[in-house]
Tab-separated table of all heavy atoms in Angstrom:
chain	number	residue	atom	x	y	z
A	1	GLU	N	-8.180	11.219	-7.368
A	1	GLU	CA	-6.879	11.016	-6.714
A	1	GLU	C	-7.132	10.064	-5.520
A	1	GLU	O	-8.050	10.327	-4.703
A	1	GLU	CB	-6.276	12.296	-6.257
A	1	GLU	CG	-4.940	12.082	-5.536
A	1	GLU	CD	-4.263	13.414	-5.045
A	1	GLU	OE1	-4.334	14.364	-5.792
A	1	GLU	OE2	-3.654	13.425	-3.988
A	2	LEU	N	-6.317	9.068	-5.320
A	2	LEU	CA	-6.367	8.144	-4.224
A	2	LEU	C	-5.011	8.299	-3.447
A	2	LEU	O	-3.963	8.061	-4.011
A	2	LEU	CB	-6.595	6.693	-4.734
A	2	LEU	CG	-6.504	5.596	-3.698
A	2	LEU	CD1	-7.528	5.731	-2.623
A	2	LEU	CD2	-6.613	4.226	-4.363
A	3	ALA	N	-5.142	8.584	-2.162
A	3	ALA	CA	-3.996	8.637	-1.309
A	3	ALA	C	-4.068	7.440	-0.309
A	3	ALA	O	-5.102	7.204	0.274
A	3	ALA	CB	-3.951	9.962	-0.554
A	4	ILE	N	-2.985	6.742	-0.169
A	4	ILE	CA	-2.948	5.612	0.711
A	4	ILE	C	-1.777	5.800	1.689
A	4	ILE	O	-0.625	5.861	1.244
A	4	ILE	CB	-2.780	4.251	-0.064
A	4	ILE	CG1	-4.014	4.035	-0.930
A	4	ILE	CG2	-2.600	3.126	0.904
A	4	ILE	CD1	-3.959	2.776	-1.761
A	5	ALA	N	-2.065	5.886	2.969
A	5	ALA	CA	-1.051	6.039	3.983
A	5	ALA	C	-0.906	4.670	4.686
A	5	ALA	O	-1.850	4.037	5.041
A	5	ALA	CB	-1.436	7.083	5.011
A	6	LEU	N	0.376	4.254	4.777
A	6	LEU	CA	0.657	2.921	5.400
A	6	LEU	C	1.434	3.136	6.660
A	6	LEU	O	2.284	3.896	6.750
A	6	LEU	CB	1.502	2.067	4.391
A	6	LEU	CG	0.922	1.798	3.049
A	6	LEU	CD1	1.877	1.032	2.181
A	6	LEU	CD2	-0.378	1.065	3.165
A	7	GLU	N	1.021	2.314	7.722
A	7	GLU	CA	1.725	2.282	8.990
A	7	GLU	C	2.035	0.854	9.353
A	7	GLU	O	1.228	-0.023	9.216
A	7	GLU	CB	0.813	2.875	10.083
A	7	GLU	CG	0.559	4.334	9.969
A	7	GLU	CD	-0.361	4.819	11.049
A	7	GLU	OE1	-0.150	4.415	12.214
A	7	GLU	OE2	-1.270	5.611	10.744
A	8	GLY	N	3.286	0.684	9.756
A	8	GLY	CA	3.682	-0.693	10.195
A	8	GLY	C	4.571	-1.373	9.184
A	8	GLY	O	5.495	-0.713	8.688
A	9	ARG	N	4.253	-2.634	8.908
A	9	ARG	CA	5.157	-3.466	8.059
A	9	ARG	C	4.343	-3.886	6.818
A	9	ARG	O	3.248	-4.450	6.920
A	9	ARG	CB	5.602	-4.695	8.816
A	9	ARG	CG	6.467	-4.378	10.012
A	9	ARG	CD	6.698	-5.610	10.913
A	9	ARG	NE	7.321	-6.675	10.177
A	9	ARG	CZ	8.628	-6.853	10.043
A	9	ARG	NH1	9.444	-6.040	10.627
A	9	ARG	NH2	9.079	-7.885	9.358
A	10	LEU	N	5.002	-3.696	5.666
A	10	LEU	CA	4.396	-4.214	4.423
A	10	LEU	C	5.259	-5.441	4.021
A	10	LEU	O	6.340	-5.297	3.503
A	10	LEU	CB	4.442	-3.144	3.286
A	10	LEU	CG	3.865	-3.493	1.965
A	10	LEU	CD1	2.479	-4.073	2.072
A	10	LEU	CD2	3.886	-2.321	0.999
A	11	ASP	N	4.707	-6.642	4.374
A	11	ASP	CA	5.464	-7.843	4.192
A	11	ASP	C	4.526	-8.942	3.661
A	11	ASP	O	3.404	-8.666	3.242
A	11	ASP	CB	6.175	-8.243	5.522
A	11	ASP	CG	5.190	-8.356	6.652
A	11	ASP	OD1	3.988	-8.564	6.469
A	11	ASP	OD2	5.629	-8.304	7.814
A	12	THR	N	5.021	-10.161	3.737
A	12	THR	CA	4.261	-11.315	3.208
A	12	THR	C	2.859	-11.415	3.855
A	12	THR	O	1.896	-11.740	3.226
A	12	THR	CB	5.063	-12.585	3.460
A	12	THR	OG1	6.376	-12.437	2.917
A	12	THR	CG2	4.370	-13.814	2.764
A	13	ALA	N	2.787	-11.100	5.118
A	13	ALA	CA	1.486	-11.218	5.859
A	13	ALA	C	0.502	-10.084	5.480
A	13	ALA	O	-0.688	-10.308	5.469
A	13	ALA	CB	1.731	-11.203	7.327
A	14	THR	N	1.016	-8.859	5.152
A	14	THR	CA	0.153	-7.721	4.997
A	14	THR	C	-0.004	-7.293	3.513
A	14	THR	O	-0.973	-6.604	3.165
A	14	THR	CB	0.632	-6.524	5.806
A	14	THR	OG1	1.982	-6.194	5.394
A	14	THR	CG2	0.551	-6.826	7.275
A	15	ALA	N	0.856	-7.746	2.643
A	15	ALA	CA	0.830	-7.332	1.217
A	15	ALA	C	-0.499	-7.760	0.573
A	15	ALA	O	-1.048	-6.945	-0.232
A	15	ALA	CB	2.026	-7.938	0.448
A	16	PRO	N	-1.087	-8.985	0.839
A	16	PRO	CA	-2.327	-9.270	0.193
A	16	PRO	C	-3.498	-8.316	0.641
A	16	PRO	O	-4.368	-8.032	-0.199
A	16	PRO	CB	-2.623	-10.747	0.732
A	16	PRO	CG	-1.267	-11.237	1.078
A	16	PRO	CD	-0.471	-10.100	1.584
A	17	GLN	N	-3.415	-7.823	1.852
A	17	GLN	CA	-4.400	-6.850	2.285
A	17	GLN	C	-4.339	-5.532	1.500
A	17	GLN	O	-5.313	-5.023	1.000
A	17	GLN	CB	-4.220	-6.523	3.792
A	17	GLN	CG	-5.164	-5.478	4.343
A	17	GLN	CD	-4.758	-5.062	5.756
A	17	GLN	OE1	-3.749	-5.531	6.346
A	17	GLN	NE2	-5.533	-4.146	6.312
A	18	LEU	N	-3.132	-5.021	1.260
A	18	LEU	CA	-2.901	-3.887	0.486
A	18	LEU	C	-3.364	-4.105	-0.941
A	18	LEU	O	-3.993	-3.280	-1.601
A	18	LEU	CB	-1.483	-3.351	0.526
A	18	LEU	CG	-1.121	-2.145	-0.301
A	18	LEU	CD1	-2.002	-0.946	0.026
A	18	LEU	CD2	0.313	-1.825	-0.260
A	19	GLU	N	-2.985	-5.223	-1.459
A	19	GLU	CA	-3.353	-5.571	-2.887
A	19	GLU	C	-4.871	-5.598	-3.068
A	19	GLU	O	-5.404	-5.067	-4.053
A	19	GLU	CB	-2.700	-6.936	-3.261
A	19	GLU	CG	-2.854	-7.228	-4.694
A	19	GLU	CD	-1.997	-8.452	-5.133
A	19	GLU	OE1	-1.837	-9.377	-4.268
A	19	GLU	OE2	-1.510	-8.450	-6.259
A	20	ALA	N	-5.573	-6.205	-2.099
A	20	ALA	CA	-7.015	-6.281	-2.180
A	20	ALA	C	-7.613	-4.806	-2.143
A	20	ALA	O	-8.563	-4.538	-2.874
A	20	ALA	CB	-7.519	-7.119	-1.016
A	21	GLU	N	-7.076	-3.978	-1.188
A	21	GLU	CA	-7.554	-2.609	-1.064
A	21	GLU	C	-7.353	-1.862	-2.417
A	21	GLU	O	-8.237	-1.089	-2.849
A	21	GLU	CB	-6.855	-1.920	0.036
A	21	GLU	CG	-7.110	-2.519	1.459
A	21	GLU	CD	-8.281	-1.801	2.124
A	21	GLU	OE1	-8.897	-0.892	1.595
A	21	GLU	OE2	-8.628	-2.286	3.244
A	22	LEU	N	-6.175	-2.054	-2.966
A	22	LEU	CA	-5.837	-1.350	-4.218
A	22	LEU	C	-6.802	-1.799	-5.375
A	22	LEU	O	-7.326	-1.010	-6.081
A	22	LEU	CB	-4.415	-1.605	-4.662
A	22	LEU	CG	-3.357	-0.776	-4.037
A	22	LEU	CD1	-1.969	-1.321	-4.367
A	22	LEU	CD2	-3.492	0.658	-4.580
A	23	ASN	N	-6.950	-3.112	-5.531
A	23	ASN	CA	-7.821	-3.668	-6.572
A	23	ASN	C	-9.279	-3.119	-6.476
A	23	ASN	O	-9.877	-2.927	-7.456
A	23	ASN	CB	-7.839	-5.228	-6.558
A	23	ASN	CG	-6.551	-5.739	-7.001
A	23	ASN	OD1	-5.720	-5.129	-7.691
A	23	ASN	ND2	-6.278	-7.019	-6.633
A	24	GLN	N	-9.689	-2.886	-5.276
A	24	GLN	CA	-11.017	-2.392	-5.006
A	24	GLN	C	-11.184	-0.913	-5.338
A	24	GLN	O	-12.209	-0.445	-5.818
A	24	GLN	CB	-11.413	-2.618	-3.558
A	24	GLN	CG	-12.830	-2.161	-3.171
A	24	GLN	CD	-13.049	-2.263	-1.696
A	24	GLN	OE1	-12.143	-2.468	-0.931
A	24	GLN	NE2	-14.349	-2.235	-1.277
A	25	ALA	N	-10.134	-0.172	-5.134
A	25	ALA	CA	-10.257	1.298	-5.191
A	25	ALA	C	-9.583	1.969	-6.407
A	25	ALA	O	-9.798	3.170	-6.623
A	25	ALA	CB	-9.669	1.894	-3.913
A	26	ILE	N	-8.747	1.268	-7.164
A	26	ILE	CA	-7.891	1.902	-8.123
A	26	ILE	C	-8.607	2.200	-9.505
A	26	ILE	O	-8.102	3.041	-10.247
A	26	ILE	CB	-6.630	1.026	-8.382
A	26	ILE	CG1	-5.517	1.909	-8.899
A	26	ILE	CG2	-6.928	-0.091	-9.319
A	26	ILE	CD1	-4.098	1.258	-8.913
A	27	GLY	N	-9.749	1.675	-9.659
A	27	GLY	CA	-10.478	1.932	-10.934
A	27	GLY	C	-10.816	3.417	-11.109
A	27	GLY	O	-11.343	4.025	-10.223
A	28	GLY	N	-10.453	4.023	-12.256
A	28	GLY	CA	-10.741	5.440	-12.509
A	28	GLY	C	-9.824	6.419	-11.834
A	28	GLY	O	-10.002	7.603	-12.004
A	29	VAL	N	-8.842	5.907	-11.055
A	29	VAL	CA	-7.883	6.827	-10.346
A	29	VAL	C	-6.881	7.333	-11.339
A	29	VAL	O	-6.333	6.604	-12.114
A	29	VAL	CB	-7.258	6.081	-9.197
A	29	VAL	CG1	-6.120	6.910	-8.591
A	29	VAL	CG2	-8.263	5.743	-8.151
A	30	LYS	N	-6.694	8.653	-11.360
A	30	LYS	CA	-5.712	9.306	-12.223
A	30	LYS	C	-4.352	9.543	-11.518
A	30	LYS	O	-3.274	9.616	-12.118
A	30	LYS	CB	-6.245	10.646	-12.813
A	30	LYS	CG	-7.504	10.495	-13.595
A	30	LYS	CD	-7.171	9.920	-14.953
A	30	LYS	CE	-8.416	9.865	-15.772
A	30	LYS	NZ	-8.559	8.681	-16.532
A	31	LYS	N	-4.509	9.661	-10.202
A	31	LYS	CA	-3.222	9.867	-9.430
A	31	LYS	C	-3.309	9.058	-8.115
A	31	LYS	O	-4.293	9.107	-7.393
A	31	LYS	CB	-3.109	11.351	-9.033
A	31	LYS	CG	-1.783	11.704	-8.292
A	31	LYS	CD	-1.663	13.142	-8.000
A	31	LYS	CE	-0.280	13.467	-7.283
A	31	LYS	NZ	-0.228	14.893	-6.897
A	32	LEU	N	-2.285	8.203	-7.935
A	32	LEU	CA	-2.223	7.364	-6.746
A	32	LEU	C	-1.008	7.814	-5.901
A	32	LEU	O	0.103	7.891	-6.500
A	32	LEU	CB	-2.049	5.911	-7.168
A	32	LEU	CG	-1.784	4.897	-6.046
A	32	LEU	CD1	-2.899	4.855	-5.097
A	32	LEU	CD2	-1.524	3.453	-6.717
A	33	VAL	N	-1.228	8.185	-4.664
A	33	VAL	CA	-0.146	8.617	-3.836
A	33	VAL	C	-0.006	7.719	-2.612
A	33	VAL	O	-1.005	7.497	-1.877
A	33	VAL	CB	-0.417	10.058	-3.333
A	33	VAL	CG1	0.670	10.553	-2.408
A	33	VAL	CG2	-0.607	11.039	-4.494
A	34	PHE	N	1.100	7.134	-2.430
A	34	PHE	CA	1.412	6.372	-1.229
A	34	PHE	C	2.240	7.210	-0.266
A	34	PHE	O	3.212	7.837	-0.613
A	34	PHE	CB	2.333	5.144	-1.562
A	34	PHE	CG	1.576	4.015	-2.213
A	34	PHE	CD1	1.624	3.830	-3.575
A	34	PHE	CD2	0.868	3.176	-1.480
A	34	PHE	CE1	0.943	2.811	-4.198
A	34	PHE	CE2	0.116	2.104	-2.029
A	34	PHE	CZ	0.215	1.943	-3.420
A	35	ASP	N	1.713	7.244	0.984
A	35	ASP	CA	2.444	8.009	2.018
A	35	ASP	C	3.088	6.960	2.955
A	35	ASP	O	2.352	6.246	3.594
A	35	ASP	CB	1.462	8.900	2.798
A	35	ASP	CG	2.135	9.768	3.843
A	35	ASP	OD1	3.369	9.539	4.121
A	35	ASP	OD2	1.492	10.695	4.339
A	36	PHE	N	4.394	6.950	2.960
A	36	PHE	CA	5.171	5.933	3.718
A	36	PHE	C	5.672	6.524	5.095
A	36	PHE	O	6.543	5.883	5.653
A	36	PHE	CB	6.347	5.402	2.891
A	36	PHE	CG	5.974	4.392	1.910
A	36	PHE	CD1	4.624	4.075	1.603
A	36	PHE	CD2	6.979	3.666	1.222
A	36	PHE	CE1	4.352	3.095	0.662
A	36	PHE	CE2	6.625	2.749	0.275
A	36	PHE	CZ	5.325	2.458	-0.003
A	37	ALA	N	5.178	7.603	5.545
A	37	ALA	CA	5.657	8.189	6.746
A	37	ALA	C	5.610	7.265	7.956
A	37	ALA	O	6.501	7.234	8.775
A	37	ALA	CB	4.863	9.455	7.105
A	38	GLY	N	4.601	6.364	7.992
A	38	GLY	CA	4.503	5.452	9.132
A	38	GLY	C	4.945	3.997	8.819
A	38	GLY	O	4.785	3.124	9.582
A	39	LEU	N	5.546	3.841	7.554
A	39	LEU	CA	5.953	2.499	7.144
A	39	LEU	C	7.345	2.170	7.747
A	39	LEU	O	8.256	2.945	7.552
A	39	LEU	CB	5.958	2.353	5.654
A	39	LEU	CG	6.085	0.963	5.077
A	39	LEU	CD1	4.878	0.103	5.441
A	39	LEU	CD2	6.320	1.012	3.606
A	40	GLU	N	7.447	1.073	8.478
A	40	GLU	CA	8.686	0.689	9.109
A	40	GLU	C	9.455	-0.309	8.328
A	40	GLU	O	10.722	-0.374	8.507
A	40	GLU	CB	8.358	0.138	10.535
A	40	GLU	CG	7.629	1.036	11.379
A	40	GLU	CD	6.904	0.338	12.552
A	40	GLU	OE1	7.118	-0.911	12.690
A	40	GLU	OE2	6.233	1.040	13.350
A	41	TYR	N	8.818	-1.141	7.547
A	41	TYR	CA	9.524	-2.286	6.902
A	41	TYR	C	8.814	-2.547	5.647
A	41	TYR	O	7.600	-2.446	5.479
A	41	TYR	CB	9.463	-3.543	7.802
A	41	TYR	CG	10.075	-4.727	7.170
A	41	TYR	CD1	11.426	-4.928	7.153
A	41	TYR	CD2	9.256	-5.739	6.633
A	41	TYR	CE1	11.969	-6.070	6.619
A	41	TYR	CE2	9.789	-6.871	6.100
A	41	TYR	CZ	11.170	-7.002	6.008
A	41	TYR	OH	11.694	-8.201	5.452
A	42	LEU	N	9.615	-2.944	4.587
A	42	LEU	CA	9.114	-3.283	3.302
A	42	LEU	C	9.798	-4.518	2.776
A	42	LEU	O	11.034	-4.538	2.639
A	42	LEU	CB	9.308	-2.114	2.300
A	42	LEU	CG	8.924	-2.364	0.827
A	42	LEU	CD1	7.399	-2.484	0.768
A	42	LEU	CD2	9.373	-1.119	0.028
A	43	SER	N	9.070	-5.603	2.492
A	43	SER	CA	9.641	-6.884	1.948
A	43	SER	C	9.411	-7.004	0.471
A	43	SER	O	8.771	-6.126	-0.136
A	43	SER	CB	9.008	-7.982	2.689
A	43	SER	OG	7.739	-8.289	2.125
A	44	SER	N	9.904	-8.076	-0.059
A	44	SER	CA	9.764	-8.301	-1.516
A	44	SER	C	8.316	-8.483	-1.870
A	44	SER	O	7.822	-8.035	-2.970
A	44	SER	CB	10.543	-9.540	-1.988
A	44	SER	OG	10.111	-10.669	-1.258
A	45	ALA	N	7.481	-8.956	-0.983
A	45	ALA	CA	6.014	-9.110	-1.237
A	45	ALA	C	5.399	-7.696	-1.357
A	45	ALA	O	4.555	-7.469	-2.208
A	45	ALA	CB	5.314	-9.847	-0.111
A	46	GLY	N	5.851	-6.775	-0.535
A	46	GLY	CA	5.382	-5.378	-0.640
A	46	GLY	C	5.827	-4.739	-1.925
A	46	GLY	O	5.079	-3.998	-2.560
A	47	LEU	N	7.070	-5.032	-2.350
A	47	LEU	CA	7.632	-4.464	-3.595
A	47	LEU	C	6.789	-4.925	-4.799
A	47	LEU	O	6.551	-4.223	-5.666
A	47	LEU	CB	9.094	-4.890	-3.770
A	47	LEU	CG	10.081	-4.221	-2.848
A	47	LEU	CD1	11.485	-4.859	-2.982
A	47	LEU	CD2	10.176	-2.705	-3.124
């Protein structure tokens, strides 16, 4: 299980960072949990 907590803004500037982190860690994961408690903004790049 991989849990990812996000804080701040998931937008054009930060989406590539999240994508890189996911690509590195998602192999073999059976459950992926995103915690958006600290997420303030989500753009189309984040979607």
Side-chain angles (χ1 to χ4, degrees):
E1 180 178 323
L2 172 62
I4 298 179
L6 302 177
E7 291 179 43
R9 297 171 56 89
L10 180 52
D11 56 22
T12 307
T14 58
Q17 177 189 359
L18 177 60
E19 190 169 33
E21 296 269 357
L22 275 171
N23 290 338
Q24 179 186 17
I26 204 167
V29 170
K30 299 286 184 221
K31 183 177 182 184
L32 174 60
V33 179
F34 283 101
D35 186 346
F36 281 8
L39 192 65
E40 301 163 2
Y41 177 78
L42 177 66
S43 76
S44 59
L47 289 171

